[in-house]
Amino acid sequence: MSAEGDDLFSRPAAALRLTDRQRLDWLRLARSENVGPRTFRELINLYGSAAAALEALPDLSRRGGGRTTRVATLAEVEQEMARATAMSVRFVALGERDYPDRLRRTASAPPLIALRGDVSCLARPMIGLVGSRNASIAGIKMAAILARGLGEAGLTTVSGLARGIDTAAHEASLGTGTVAALAGGHDRIYPAENEALLLRLIGTGVALSEMPMGHEPRARDFPRRNRLIAGLSLGVIVVEAADRSGSLITARMALEENREVFAVPGSPLDPRAEGANRLLKQGATLVTGVDDVLAVLTPILQAPPEPSELDEDETRIEAADPGEDGRSRILGLLGPVPVTVDDVVRASGLSVAAVRVTLLELELAGRLQRDPGGRVSLL
């Protein structure tokens, strides 16, 4: 049996429908300390429900050797839910009908996303379009041409509501629908100058965030937002990007999710083109017009759809206590070099469930990091 076990979230969208109380429990779990998307997934698959996982959190973090994890209170999430409702923002859970399918299939899909606007645009195939904040006139014009043309071809444009290329992409696709992935909460728009654009955008498109209401975006939140852009999209187009641009992070995340990467070539004399030109040298598809993008995406869109029936096997692995000897054995096998969970299971000689529980304990105690490719390492 794989160490990943049976994943209750691997089932098709619309297979899940939460009650109001379950949604509050999911929000409490998602807002609790040290509970990221992968940890949330593990907890639900091991304990069967958010309510059961919430009860287990304090003991798990204590056994992991850290201070007790702070669990979000019911009053806190009820207040957040009320703030969201007042802004016509609603929380959609992983696996529910309006949760975007491609994002759902990513390794770090948020357990809940907060949506505001016309969700019908999420049902269409999506394409990320990102680039420099300090964009050139030519870059802004190119972004608008691509966004408008791809929208007319039936795709929804996804970008990050930033200045420059992002703004141009959103504005050019207002008529066909666009998605703004936010780095902060819905009531903390960044940059503030784009609040008016967002209000226009949600008439035909969607603002999407995984962050709490009231959350002011920080530098470390923008890569998380970039992960959403990459996860939602069939591919990502980089129009302009300097050598250390965040757009290159989006492109890398798209590659990690086996999505397409496109780049618009620029002058070698313009530092805003350095990153995009380097992507082209590394194998990104060169884009000089809409047809270049459609030539790559059309075969993907014409491929047979994946099965959408509910999986018959919903068996999950029951949580197991490995005991102190088992915990010590697992801890001794871990270090700063990432290893797969399957490797830990084989080397420890313990059950899959025992290893998964121990890793959760360490993570909730702030001692474990989950790395790309299903690997783990000690902090």
Side-chain angles (χ1 to χ4, degrees):
M1 178 182 292
S2 166
E4 295 300 316
D6 175 61
D7 192 338
L8 299 182
F9 298 110
S10 65
R11 293 182 271 133
L16 180 70
R17 180 176 295 178
L18 298 183
T19 65
D20 290 343
R21 181 50 196 254
Q22 287 173 327
R23 202 173 306 277
L24 287 171
D25 287 340
W26 273 52
L27 192 57
R28 281 188 68 196
L29 186 58
R31 299 292 187 245
S32 294
E33 187 180 24
N34 292 335
V35 179
R38 288 182 176 89
T39 311
F40 188 103
R41 184 188 297 258
E42 280 287 278
L43 286 165
I44 296 293
N45 282 329
L46 282 168
Y47 292 97
S49 70
L54 286 164
E55 290 185 10
L57 280 185
D59 283 343
L60 285 170
S61 60
R62 177 182 54 78
R63 292 199 298 265
R67 62 182 176 82
T68 302
T69 294
R70 184 187 180 282
V71 179
T73 68
L74 181 59
E76 288 170 342
V77 297
E78 285 179 332
Q79 183 181 41
E80 180 178 357
M81 192 74 75
R83 291 175 68 176
T85 301
M87 291 186 65
S88 299
V89 173
R90 64 189 181 93
F91 292 96
V92 176
L94 187 64
E96 289 191 304
R97 181 176 301 278
D98 289 331
Y99 197 102
D101 189 59
R102 288 192 179 273
L103 181 61
R104 179 179 67 88
R105 297 176 188 278
T106 62
S108 56
L112 288 160
I113 52 174
L115 303 178
R116 182 185 182 199
D118 184 356
V119 298
S120 65
C121 71
L122 297 175
R124 297 194 296 270
M126 291 180 251
I127 181 74
L129 208 164
V130 297
S132 174
R133 288 178 171 83
N134 181 31
S136 68
I137 293 175
I140 289 173
K141 184 176 180 180
M142 188 64 181
I145 290 171
L146 291 172
R148 188 175 297 110
L150 291 168
E152 291 171 354
L155 281 80
T156 295
T157 301
V158 184
S159 200
L161 203 69
R163 301 179 181 95
I165 298 300
D166 290 20
T167 295
H170 289 310
E171 287 181 338
S173 49
L174 288 174
T176 53
T178 180
V179 174
L182 308 179
H186 278 270
D187 50 355
R188 294 293 185 270
I189 302 304
Y190 180 88
E193 67 199 56
N194 272 351
E195 286 192 37
L197 171 60
L198 183 69
L199 290 176
R200 294 166 60 206
L201 181 154
I202 59 177
T204 55
V206 165
L208 181 153
S209 177
E210 65 176 310
M211 306 306 290
M213 297 293 291
H215 181 83
E216 291 280 359
R218 301 156 296 181
R220 66 185 182 187
D221 297 321
F222 291 96
R224 294 184 64 171
R225 177 209 59 186
N226 295 349
R227 177 183 109 260
L228 295 177
I229 296 171
L232 287 163
S233 307
L234 288 160
V236 170
I237 307 169
V238 178
V239 177
E240 284 184 335
D243 190 49
R244 297 183 180 275
S245 169
S247 299
L248 301 183
I249 297 175
T250 311
R252 174 177 57 79
M253 291 174 169
L255 286 173
E256 290 173 354
E257 296 293 345
N258 296 315
R259 309 297 163 82
E260 301 296 325
V261 173
F262 306 85
V264 175
S267 169
L269 300 178
D270 188 344
R272 289 171 294 198
E274 288 180 1
N277 287 341
R278 189 167 77 249
L279 285 175
L280 290 170
K281 292 178 181 178
Q282 294 170 347
T285 299
L286 186 147
V287 174
T288 60
V290 171
D291 288 345
D292 295 325
V293 180
L294 295 178
V296 175
L297 297 187
T298 298
I300 298 173
L301 293 170
Q302 291 176 343
E306 296 183 12
S308 59
E309 294 301 318
L310 182 64
D311 292 345
E312 293 297 328
D313 183 10
E314 298 183 11
T315 304
R316 63 182 179 86
I317 300 174
E318 297 293 337
D321 186 348
E324 291 308 314
D325 288 344
R327 288 188 184 87
S328 297
R329 196 183 317 166
I330 293 168
L331 191 59
L333 293 168
L334 298 172
V337 178
V339 296
T340 68
V341 179
D342 283 324
D343 285 342
V344 178
V345 171
R346 283 190 289 267
S348 68
L350 296 169
S351 70
V352 172
V355 170
R356 289 172 67 180
V357 168
T358 302
L359 296 179
L360 277 173
E361 292 170 354
L362 292 170
E363 187 172 15
L364 291 168
R367 302 175 65 190
L368 186 87
Q369 175 172 302
R370 294 192 184 269
D371 300 288
R375 298 173 181 270
V376 294
S377 59
L378 285 182
L379 293 171

